[in-house]
Amino acid sequence: MGEMETAQFHALVVVGLLVLFYGGTFLISTRIGKKEENADGYMTAGNNLGFGVSAASMTATWIWASSMYASATSGYTYGISGPIHYGLWGALMILFIYPFGRRIRAVAPKAHTLAEVLYVRHGRSSQLMLAGSNIVGSLISLMSNFIAGGVLISLLSPFNFTQGVFAVAAGVLLYTLWSGFRASVLTDFVQVVAMLGAVAVIVPFIFFAADFPAAFETGASNLTAEQGNFFSSEAFMQQGAPYIAAVLAYAIGNQTIAQRLFAVKESLIKPTFITATVGYGAMVIGVGMIGVLALYLGFEPSGGDPNNIIPGMAAEYLPPVLLAVFFIMIVGALSSTADSDLAALSSIMMADVYGQNVAGKEKADPKTMLLVGRITMVLATATAVAFASLQLNILDLLVFVGALWGALVFPVLASFYWGKVTGRAFTTSVLAALAVFLPVRFGWVPLDNALGIVVDVLAVVGIGVVLGLMVFGFFGARPARVVGVTAIVVSAPFAIGELHEYATLSGSLVAYSVSTIVCWSMSFRQQKDFDFAVIAQRTGDFDDSPAETAAAAAPADGDEVSVGRSAQDPDADPEPAGTGSK
C-alpha cells in the first residue's frame, strides 16, 4: 500500500471538537477553582486524594499520546512483540513504584517534590540536580505531546502542524493555569474514562475494517524473520530491555509520578498503583497493535514519519463519527500528560527554586509561590511549543530521557533507605554516571576495542543493579543481592563482547552501574547515620507552616545530620514499605 491521501475534517469540525474538549475541561477546572488559591493545594491537593481520582490520574498520566504513538511505532518496527515489550514493561514499572512510594511517603508525608526531600537529606546540589533533571524531562515530555497533537491535527484537518501545536498548547494551558495540580487530577478522571471507552471501540473496529484476521495471513510476506518472531532477540535488545531500564528510571525520577504519590491518601497507594498498572497495560498494548496491523498491511506512514502511523490508520479505516471519537481520545491522552508536566514544573519552581533556594521555607510567601507557578506554566508551554517544531522521534526521546534518569535511580533510592549516603556521594555518582552514559549512548568514542569490553562489564553490572532494585522494593536487601549477583553471573558469558553494540541499552545500563558503584564506594565507610525523622519535620505545608525554629533550617550543601545509629543498616533488610522511619 503506497502513501495515501488521509481523510480530513472540515476546519469548523476540528475547531468544534477542540472547543468541546478544552471548553469542557476548562469548565471543570473553574468549578474547583478558589478565589484565594492555596499554594500547597496547587501542588499536591492537600495530600488526601481518594482512590477513584488518584487511580484515574495515575493511569492517565502514564498513558499519553506519546506512549500510544511510541507503542504503535514499536509494533511497526519490531512486529507483534513490539507493543508487548513497550506496554507490558511500562505497566510493570508502575507496579514497581508502589513499594518505594510507600517508603518515600512514610519518610516525607507532606512533601511536594522528591527534590524538596533531597534538600533536607543532602543539601542544595542534590536537590537542584534532581530538580534540573525533572525540568529537562518534563519539557521533553511536554514537547513530545505537543508534537503528537500537531501531527494529529495536521493529518486530519486543513490546519498545519504548527497551528495544531499552538491549539493543543493553548487548550492545555487554559484549564491548568488557575488551579494547577487539582485541575490536572480532576480532568484526568474524565479523560481516562473517555480513553478507555474509545480504545474498546476503535481498536477492534480498525482491525475488522482492515480485514482481520485475513490481513495477518496475506500480509505475512511484508515482515522480516525477526518481525515475525514473537521471541525476537532484536525486539528485546532494541526495545524491551532498554525500556525496562528506562521506565524504572521514569518511575523513580519523574515528578509527575512523585506528585501523585504525595497527593494520594497514604493508605490508598497500593490499590492506586495496581489499578494504574492494569489500565495502562491494556490500553497501550491494544493501541500498539495498530502498528502491527500497519506492518502486515504494508502501510506507509505519511512522510515516512512513524509518528503518523496511528493518525494515518485511523483516517484510512474509521468512519467520520469514530474518527471524531479517535480525535478526542488522542487529544485527551496528550492533554492528560501535558497538564501533569505543567503541574510538575510549577511545583519544582514553587517548592524547590523559590520556596527553598530563593526565599527560604521560613520566608516563602504563598501568594508569590502561586505567581511563580503560573508564570512557570506559561514559560514552559512557550518553550515546548518552540522545540516541538523540530518534530523529533517520540520513541527515541522517551528512551533517551529514561536512560538519562537511570543515573539518579540508585542514589535517590539509597538516600531514602541508607543513612550513610552523603551529599557528596550522591552528586559525584550522578555526574560520573552521566559522564560515562553520554559517550556510550551517542557513540562519541569507538567501542570496537578493549574499551568496548569495559563498557560491557559495566553494563552487566547494570543488569544486576536493575533486577536487584526491582526485587529490593518487594522482598528486601538479601533477596535483592541474590538476584542481582545471579543476574550478573548468568548474563556475563552472553553479554560481554556483544552488549556494547546496542548503544541505547548499554548506555542506560552503564548509567545504573556507575552511579551505584560510585555512590556505594563513597558511602559504606561513613560513620554517621542520617535520622530520617528529620525529613518529616523539615518538609511540609508552605501556607500553614508554624513559626520556624532553628531546628527547622535546612542543612547547607553537603551537610549530613548525625544522630547515631538511627538509619537503616546497609546490611539489614529494608523496613517494610509503609512503616515509619527508623
Side-chain angles (χ1 to χ4, degrees), residues 150-175:
V151 167
L152 178 72
I153 291 174
S154 65
L155 284 177
L156 302 183
S157 78
F159 299 112
N160 60 34
F161 173 81
T162 302
Q163 291 169 329
V165 168
F166 272 98
V168 169
V172 173
L173 184 63
L174 174 70
Y175 73 83

Side-chain angles (χ1 to χ4, degrees), residues 384-448:
V385 166
F387 280 103
S389 61
L390 299 175
Q391 298 191 54
L392 301 174
N393 184 284
I394 291 174
L395 184 57
D396 289 343
L397 288 175
L398 298 181
V399 174
F400 169 71
V401 175
L404 193 63
W405 272 336
L408 287 157
V409 173
F410 182 85
V412 169
L413 289 178
S415 296
F416 280 95
Y417 287 92
W418 190 19
K420 293 181 180 291
V421 179
T422 66
R424 188 174 291 106
F426 185 104
T427 303
T428 304
S429 63
V430 173
L431 292 178
L434 292 178
V436 177
F437 161 74
L438 292 173
V440 172
R441 173 63 181 85
F442 295 106
W444 295 347
V445 292
L447 298 178
D448 54 354

